[in-house]
Amino acid sequence: MLMQGFAGLMSLLSLALILFSGFALVDAAIRREDAYRAASKQTKPFWLIILAIAFVVNWLFSILSFLPVIGLIATIVYMVDVRPAVRQIAGGGGGRRGGGSSSDGPYGPYNGGR
């Protein structure tokens, strides 16, 4: 019974790793290529290859192997270092979040002619 619970936990962790690396791969694919160079974070093809390898490794190998751990490290590096820098260069990737109001123009806030 204990082994079944452990196997269930390992399969859930494996699924979480596959989803995490898959999300990172899709996110890297939809970002602009020039944003990677502008943020000095290697190139888009580099990160696509690394994240694709991480995804395949997580898909094929058991989580108890060392290869999925290496893939997890690469995915975490992308998510906490590369992705925020590329998003900042590329303009966020979503609505306005903090730092501005609806009256801001291209050169700053509109002050009503004051």
Side-chain angles (χ1 to χ4, degrees), residues 18-43:
I18 290 168
L19 292 175
F20 186 53
S21 61
F23 173 79
L25 178 61
V26 170
D27 184 75
I30 64 172
R31 301 290 170 196
R32 292 186 358 221
E33 199 277 327
D34 60 337
Y36 288 88
R37 287 179 286 143
S40 298
K41 301 293 180 185
Q42 295 295 329
T43 63

Side-chain angles (χ1 to χ4, degrees), residues 17-72:
L17 280 178
I18 290 168
L19 292 175
F20 186 53
S21 61
F23 173 79
L25 178 61
V26 170
D27 184 75
I30 64 172
R31 301 290 170 196
R32 292 186 358 221
E33 199 277 327
D34 60 337
Y36 288 88
R37 287 179 286 143
S40 298
K41 301 293 180 185
Q42 295 295 329
T43 63
K44 183 176 181 173
F46 172 84
W47 282 107
L48 288 175
I49 291 169
I50 294 295
L51 294 171
I53 290 171
F55 180 76
V56 169
V57 163
N58 287 331
W59 186 274
L60 294 179
F61 291 96
S62 167
I63 193 168
L64 297 176
S65 172
F66 71 94
L67 290 175
V69 174
I70 294 171
L72 176 64

Side-chain angles (χ1 to χ4, degrees), residues 77-93:
V77 167
Y78 174 80
M79 292 298 287
V80 301
D81 183 39
V82 178
R83 183 176 186 248
V86 171
R87 285 182 70 190
Q88 184 178 11
I89 297 292

